[in-house]
Amino acid sequence: MGTTVFERTPPAPRVIAHALAGTRQSVFWLDDLPASRPRASFTGEATADLVVIGAGYTGLWTALAAKRRDPSARVVILEGKRVGWAASGRNGGFCEASLTHGRDNGLARWPDEIDRLDEMGLANLDAMGDDIARLKIDADWERTGSLGVAIEPHQLEWLDEWAEDAASRGEEGVVRLDEQQTRAEVNSPTYLGAVWEKRSTAMVHPGKLAAGLAHAAEEAGVEIFEESPVHALDDDGDRLKVVTLRGRITAPRVVLATNVFPSLLRRNRLMTVPVYDYVLMTEPLSDAQLAEIGWSSRQGLSDLANQFHYYRLSRDNRILFGGYDAVYHYGRQVRQRYEDRPASFERLASHFFTTFPQLEGLRFTHKWAGAIDTSTQFSAFYGTARGGRVAYAAGFTGLGVAATRFAGDVMLDLLEGEATERTELEMVRKRPLPFPPEPVAAVGINMTRWSLDRADHDRGRRNILLKTLDALGLGFDS
């Protein structure tokens, strides 16, 4: 087995220790928001036309779309903690156009639809940018595109295939860069080449986006209640009763936008697993440090390994650096204690300074983690329950910042019983396979993680387990 670039050229331990000294266990995107008072929690009894459970991106986009369709409707959002506190406030801020977790994944699963799905994804990203401008949301929106970089020689062939496929389909804005061209864009000694997708990715401030969507929803008449976890969803004749600790709301339609958290529907309890992803954020770079690495086009970046890193610049020129470790904890639990994992932060810091050795001396101000709602098809699944009165979407698998907007319209179409282009998609009509129960889930996921790491050390070659999972349409990704 070979070694990767991160093992061949690691920084000195003192560099890592210095960089992590004093780093806060806190989410930068949420710390970067103006202080605000919590919204009221829900108490008493009420009726509504639509209840949305969850005030992350999925719930907020759905509520906004519902008010756009029917401004007179009473739409209520119930949030267990605070707006955007979970995945929506702590992700990397990459807004990918893809609705299928990349073209390759979509092509493998929905080959007859993939071209249209790509078109719909790009249209959704365009519309998302238009919405942010129209609603006057200051979310640091930047339509920069993204660089996929090769850091090992065998990955250069993947870049060639990527660019050739795009060219054969007439896809615009996909540019193959050689090593010199790549390092002219972003200067890392680890880069051997790249593909720059100029149209398919925007950068956004996750916390500002969640806060801005919530404000826009309230301006449209949506009522948002925080610290109001829902404990039950009961039938009440032809309506549904949503039960919180201190109140009940009755409504004819309910949207479940809880993603990684245990579903209120038994049928969905095995459909996702929470996978923890880890992130570091640097202090702002000086002008001299920026000059050392370039990055004037401010693209999002990721490498091509199975255990990949993603990184981007903030408005004030910090570098967010995350990924690589994707950790599943036995029992499918979402727990705050899983967020502090020193080994993952030290590994990320080491990989950061291998990527940018010229930034030695830079410190990290924030470290955090979040749980990703992983599905076996790597992208969201959709459906209805309770006679079509409940709609749900979950399983975005780490690529949901833009796709949640699309999901909101899908769920509203489903609730209205409309046969639309969205609801007729095979991707929407068919559910993926569930994960197995414990202990099989933990054994299988950890064996898959080991196999992915082994492939990264063996020129990308996939072993029999990974090939079998590929053939079955099952998977686990970092």
Side-chain angles (χ1 to χ4, degrees):
M1 300 294 288
T3 57
T4 70
V5 65
F6 301 108
E7 294 157 328
R8 294 193 299 270
T9 56
R14 60 172 176 77
V15 175
I16 299 171
H18 173 80
L20 289 173
T23 304
R24 297 176 59 192
Q25 181 77 38
S26 188
V27 182
F28 170 79
W29 304 124
L30 301 179
D31 289 349
D32 197 42
L33 296 176
S36 62
R37 293 182 179 178
R39 294 171 173 85
S41 59
F42 180 76
T43 60
E45 298 201 13
T47 61
D49 297 299
L50 174 68
V51 174
V52 177
I53 302 174
Y57 296 149
T58 306
L60 293 167
W61 281 120
T62 304
L64 274 166
K67 291 296 285 187
R68 186 171 59 246
R69 295 183 184 205
D70 182 1
S72 67
R74 185 182 186 192
V75 178
V76 174
I77 298 178
L78 298 175
E79 166 55 43
K81 292 192 176 181
R82 297 199 67 183
V83 165
W85 74 275
S88 295
R90 58 183 68 207
N91 62 84
F94 285 67
C95 298
E96 300 276 356
S98 178
L99 304 173
T100 62
H101 210 285
R103 181 176 174 87
D104 287 348
N105 186 54
L107 184 63
R109 300 180 189 283
W110 306 289
D112 296 336
E113 294 180 348
I114 185 59
D115 289 337
R116 184 59 186 138
L117 286 168
D118 282 350
E119 292 171 0
M120 295 173 81
L122 192 58
N124 177 67
L125 184 64
D126 291 340
M128 181 177 173
D130 291 343
D131 282 347
I132 288 171
R134 177 178 55 83
L135 296 170
K136 295 181 172 59
I137 297 174
D138 179 14
D140 300 353
W141 178 266
E142 297 180 273
R143 195 70 180 266
T144 60
S146 60
L147 284 176
V149 296
I151 56 174
E152 302 291 346
H154 69 269
Q155 295 169 0
L156 292 171
E157 183 178 343
W158 300 348
L159 293 178
D160 293 336
E161 292 171 354
W162 182 354
E164 289 165 5
D165 174 67
S168 71
R169 293 182 287 103
E171 184 177 347
E172 298 179 354
V174 179
V175 181
R176 172 71 161 91
L177 306 178
D178 62 23
E179 180 176 353
Q180 184 177 359
Q181 291 168 324
T182 303
R183 294 188 62 174
E185 286 294 330
V186 186
N187 185 21
S188 168
T190 66
Y191 296 169
L192 305 177
V195 164
W196 185 359
E197 287 202 336
K198 295 189 173 184
R199 297 181 61 208
S200 63
T201 308
M203 296 290 107
V204 74
H205 185 304
K208 289 182 179 179
L209 178 60
L213 289 174
H215 176 73
E218 290 174 320
E219 288 285 301
V222 175
E223 299 166 65
I224 302 176
F225 296 94
E226 296 181 323
E227 301 295 340
S228 301
V230 174
H231 297 287
L233 183 61
D234 299 328
D235 290 312
D236 187 13
D238 62 350
R239 298 169 71 84
L240 294 157
K241 188 176 295 182
V242 183
V243 183
T244 71
L245 186 63
R246 294 187 293 276
R248 294 178 297 180
I249 301 182
T250 303
R253 301 185 301 171
V254 173
V255 162
L256 300 183
T258 52
N259 294 309
V260 76
F261 297 95
S263 178
L264 291 164
L265 299 175
R266 186 180 298 274
R267 72 178 66 177
N268 286 344
R269 291 291 174 88
L270 296 179
M271 297 302 293
T272 62
V273 294
V275 176
Y276 275 81
D277 183 55
Y278 296 84
V279 180
L280 292 172
M281 181 69 98
T282 73
E283 61 192 352
L285 273 64
S286 67
D287 290 344
Q289 288 169 324
L290 272 175
E292 286 285 336
I293 62 172
W295 213 344
S296 60
S297 298
R298 300 179 61 82
Q299 309 97 324
L301 283 108
S302 62
D303 60 59
L304 300 187
N306 289 304
Q307 298 183 107
F308 64 91
H309 308 83
Y310 55 88
Y311 36 121
R312 47 81 54 96
L313 290 168
S314 66
R315 174 180 281 181
D316 61 349
N317 293 325
R318 300 168 184 265
I319 298 176
L320 176 144
F321 194 82
Y324 195 81
D325 280 352
V327 180
Y328 173 72
H329 297 273
Y330 184 94
R332 282 185 163 87
Q333 300 299 311
V334 179
R335 294 286 185 266
Q336 185 175 356
R337 68 176 183 270
Y338 297 154
E339 297 177 19
D340 186 9
R341 194 167 191 267
S344 290
F345 295 126
E346 290 167 8
R347 185 174 295 114
L348 278 174
S350 177
H351 294 180
F352 177 90
F353 289 109
T354 294
T355 304
F356 295 122
Q358 63 270 53
L359 296 182
E360 181 178 327
L362 193 68
R363 291 180 181 267
F364 299 106
T365 60
H366 292 71
K367 57 183 178 180
W368 70 89
I372 296 170
D373 59 327
T374 301
S375 71
T376 59
Q377 69 181 22
F378 295 160
S379 57
F381 61 91
Y382 309 86
T384 60
R386 307 289 176 90
R389 293 172 295 166
V390 176
Y392 56 82
F396 293 91
T397 317
L399 212 66
V401 175
T404 52
R405 182 187 178 279
F406 180 84
D409 279 317
V410 170
M411 289 188 286
L412 293 176
D413 288 351
L414 291 171
L415 287 175
E416 291 170 7
E418 293 185 6
T420 68
E421 183 178 17
R422 288 182 289 258
T423 61
E424 292 299 302
L425 291 168
E426 183 183 358
M427 182 186 74
V428 171
R429 290 185 291 106
K430 293 188 176 180
R431 285 162 59 90
L433 292 171
F435 286 95
E438 298 291 15
V440 178
V443 172
I445 289 170
N446 287 320
M447 286 181 62
T448 303
R449 286 191 64 224
W450 177 85
S451 297
L452 291 169
D453 180 70
R454 185 180 178 89
D456 284 337
H457 287 79
D458 191 22
R459 296 177 53 82
R461 297 186 180 98
R462 299 172 78 81
N463 65 14
I464 188 64
L465 173 61
L466 296 179
K467 290 178 179 178
T468 301
L469 292 174
D470 292 341
L472 294 173
L474 296 169
F476 175 85
D477 206 354
S478 69

